[in-house]
């Protein structure tokens, strides 16, 4: 979804904050030594009555090592609630929360007097030298959860805000919807953190909750792929985060020659163009080949013969995507509001249907489905205004 945004100038002051070892809530997950959690805070120019900060912090990476990541914290006067917002898919580094503030989201949260906590996904912001692990929903959720820990600790220790008395909500649209849902799982499993906050539930929109099924849809030649720029993002993600599984396999074993020749792979890796710009590059290339003026691809245009034949390459990709399937393996314990449009051309309605089917199969009924109108972009805009 394209954002309206403006650049926030940096203020020179930089603060280094440490959170005490005696506070279990401030400890990083998956860290057996539980070191002192330190983070770097850079105040940003205020907007819409919000005090805004870019914070650098540590979070687990896909190679087992700690990654220095970044996030945005925006705090209004006398906040009524705290919103942990997992952002939707971005392709250019300029789009991430800590580099720009989207006016729509900023204005909505300012009107609500909501604290806004949003992590830059790994691969963007401070960690832009890393490949973005798009398909690793739980890894991105871990970064969001750690951003929440850091943001709330800073609010308490430096701003004097008792976050435990303020309602906390998770939200996200598109990729952010899936990441927010995975963040809820991590939060519910982290009893120290769950007891420290006033968590009320999640509001999630149009998420790819089961990327293995998305892959199945993409390789169906009857499906029109309206957002092909996401394909190299997914392929790079699985190949980078599961290197042993993809030894001897090249990007050309996954994508068609025409797709690679379009320049899409290089454009995604450059992190300079937005998704719509990359799609324009792809569609222009294929329309020249086809002599058409269409804005979609078919599976045979996007994928290699090996993937289309569903040989071992396809099976490896699908197996890796299955590891982050949110439609299995856990039982939520807090309320979930679901939003989706039947007319979504990027993340199909079937994603939410599958999630609901899973909830019903495990006896979880504390959820509500809210139908939306319009395509993926319009429904996402309406979600943030709802």
């Amino acid at each position: 979804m394209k954002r309206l945004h403006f650049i926030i100038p940096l203020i020179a002051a930089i603060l280094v904050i440490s959170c005490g070892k005696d506070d279990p809530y401030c400890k990083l997950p998956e860290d057996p030594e539980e070191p002192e959690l330190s983070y770097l805070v850079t105040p940003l120019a205020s907007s819409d009555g919000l005090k805004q900060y870019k914070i650098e912090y540590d979070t687990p990476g896909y190679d087992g090592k700690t990654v220095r990541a970044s996030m945005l914290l925006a705090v209004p006067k006398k906040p009524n609630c705290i919103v942990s917002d997992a952002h939707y898919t971005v392709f250019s580094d300029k789009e991430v929360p800590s580099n720009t503030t989207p006016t729509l989201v900023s204005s909505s949260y300012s009107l609500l007097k909501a604290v806004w906590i949003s992590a830059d996904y790994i691969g963007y912001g401070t960690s832009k030298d890393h490949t973005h692990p798009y398909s690793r929903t739980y890894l991105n959720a871990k970064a969001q959860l750690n951003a929440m820990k850091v943001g709330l600790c800073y609010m308490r220790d430096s701003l004097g805000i008792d976050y435990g008395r303020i309602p906390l909500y998770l939200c996200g649209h598109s990729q952010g919807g899936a990441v927010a849902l995975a963040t809820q799982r991590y939060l519910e499993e982290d009893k120290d953190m769950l007891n420290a906050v006033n968590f009320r539930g999640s509001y999630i929109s149009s998420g790819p909750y089961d990327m293995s099924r998305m892959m199945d849809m993409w390789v169906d030649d009857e499906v029109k792929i309206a957002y092909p720029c996401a394909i190299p993002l997914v392929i790079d993600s699985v190949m980078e985060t599961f290197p042993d599984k993809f030894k001897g396999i090249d990007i050309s074993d996954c994508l068609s020659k025409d797709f690679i020749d379009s320049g899409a792979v290089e454009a995604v890796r450059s992190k300079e163009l937005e998704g719509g710009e990359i799609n324009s590059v792809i569609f222009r290339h294929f329309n020249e080949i086809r002599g058409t003026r269409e804005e979609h691809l078919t599976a045979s245009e996007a994928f290699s013969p090996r993937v289309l034949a569903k040989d071992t390459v396809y099976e490896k990709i699908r197996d890796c995507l299955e590891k982050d399937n949110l439609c299995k393996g856990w039982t939520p314990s807090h309320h979930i509001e679901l939003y989706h449009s039947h007319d979504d051309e990027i993340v199909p309605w079937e994603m939410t249907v599958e999630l609901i089917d899973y909830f019903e199969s495990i006896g979880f009924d504390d959820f509500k489905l809210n139908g939306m109108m319009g395509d993926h972009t319009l429904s996402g805009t309406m979600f943030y205004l709802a």
Side-chain angles (χ1 to χ4, degrees):
M1 185 174 74
K2 184 176 178 60
R3 325 177 170 219
L4 301 174
H5 58 270
F6 55 90
I7 302 300
I8 307 172
L10 295 180
I11 296 176
I14 295 180
L15 307 174
V16 178
I17 309 297
S18 292
C19 193
K21 290 182 179 179
D22 58 344
D23 186 349
Y25 164 62
C26 293
K27 294 170 183 174
L28 286 173
E30 298 186 355
D31 194 333
E33 297 182 0
E34 298 178 345
E36 190 172 25
L37 173 59
S38 65
Y39 46 94
L40 187 71
V41 180
T42 304
L44 306 174
S46 297
S47 170
D48 296 325
L50 298 172
K51 289 184 177 180
Q52 300 175 119
Y53 309 89
K54 177 178 180 177
I55 304 180
E56 298 180 16
Y57 66 103
D58 295 327
T59 194
Y62 49 78
D63 58 0
K65 300 177 181 178
T66 298
V67 173
R68 193 66 167 175
S70 50
M71 58 173 282
L72 177 71
L73 171 67
V75 185
K77 294 180 180 178
K78 298 180 180 179
N80 292 326
C81 63
I82 300 167
V83 177
S84 170
D85 178 31
H87 68 78
Y88 43 79
T89 305
V90 300
F91 291 82
S92 66
D93 193 58
K94 64 187 178 184
E95 296 176 90
V96 298
S98 74
N99 286 340
T100 73
T101 302
T103 56
L104 172 64
V105 178
S106 175
S107 298
S108 297
Y109 290 162
S110 180
L111 289 172
L112 292 170
K113 290 190 174 182
V115 172
W116 179 24
I117 300 173
S118 189
D120 303 334
Y121 292 144
I122 295 172
Y124 299 99
T126 300
S127 62
K128 65 181 178 181
D129 291 337
H130 294 259
T131 297
H132 170 48
Y134 176 88
S135 64
R136 304 306 308 276
T137 303
Y138 282 117
L139 195 63
N140 292 310
K142 185 72 72 174
Q144 183 68 25
L145 184 75
N146 288 337
M148 290 166 56
K149 291 188 174 216
V150 168
L152 296 179
C153 284
Y154 179 76
M155 287 167 54
R156 180 198 60 204
D157 296 342
S158 298
L159 304 180
I161 297 174
D162 183 3
Y163 58 78
R165 297 179 178 272
I166 305 173
L168 167 68
Y169 301 92
L170 307 181
C171 83
H173 170 68
S174 193
Q175 179 187 6
V179 172
L181 186 61
T183 304
Q184 175 167 333
R185 177 177 181 175
Y186 274 137
L187 175 58
E188 292 175 344
E189 292 174 351
D190 188 334
K191 300 306 180 184
D192 288 330
M193 185 174 184
L194 189 60
N195 291 334
V197 298
N198 184 10
F199 180 49
R200 299 293 184 85
S202 297
Y203 290 72
I204 59 176
S205 168
S206 314
Y209 310 115
D210 179 359
M211 278 302 302
S212 60
R213 188 173 182 191
M214 280 289 293
M215 187 68 186
D216 291 341
M217 294 178 181
W218 278 344
V219 298
D220 181 347
D221 228 2
E222 294 184 4
V223 173
K224 294 181 178 181
I225 304 172
Y227 205 64
C229 60
I231 294 173
L233 202 63
V234 171
I235 300 302
D236 271 350
S237 172
V238 295
M239 292 183 70
E240 183 72 19
T241 59
F242 296 97
D244 292 340
K245 201 174 186 70
F246 286 89
K247 280 183 178 179
I249 296 175
D250 186 71
I251 192 76
S252 61
D253 293 311
C254 305
L255 303 177
S256 73
K257 183 179 183 302
D258 283 336
F259 191 94
I260 294 173
D261 288 346
S262 74
V265 176
E266 290 83 356
V268 167
R269 291 173 179 173
S270 75
K271 302 176 184 177
E272 294 177 355
L273 300 180
E274 297 183 15
E277 295 172 313
I278 299 172
N279 279 335
S280 294
V281 169
I282 297 170
F283 295 142
R284 183 165 56 248
H285 177 78
F286 279 93
N287 282 331
E288 288 176 357
I289 294 173
R290 297 181 301 212
T292 61
R293 299 181 64 181
E294 298 176 340
E295 293 191 347
H296 70 266
L297 295 188
T298 62
S300 58
E301 291 173 323
F303 293 101
S304 71
R306 295 191 64 179
V307 169
L308 295 173
K310 297 186 178 180
D311 74 353
T312 55
V313 172
Y314 171 80
E315 292 174 357
K316 288 175 184 290
I317 295 170
R318 199 184 186 286
D319 287 348
C320 293
L321 295 175
E322 180 66 22
K323 294 182 184 300
D324 286 73
N325 184 356
L326 293 168
C327 300
K328 67 175 188 179
W330 71 296
T331 301
S333 58
H334 291 77
H335 183 68
I336 297 172
E337 294 264 342
L338 300 168
Y339 295 78
H340 212 146
S341 169
H342 281 278
D343 299 322
D344 194 321
E345 81 289 14
I346 294 175
V347 180
W349 169 259
E350 285 81 2
M351 287 290 102
T352 293
V353 172
E354 181 182 355
L355 183 63
I356 290 174
D357 287 345
Y358 172 65
F359 286 164
E360 292 178 342
S361 73
I362 59 174
F364 176 72
D365 60 5
D366 190 9
F367 68 88
K368 179 182 177 182
L369 174 61
N370 301 279
M372 304 290 283
M373 298 182 65
D375 61 15
H376 192 72
T377 300
L378 178 58
S379 63
T381 302
M382 298 308 297
F383 166 71
Y384 277 111
L385 294 174

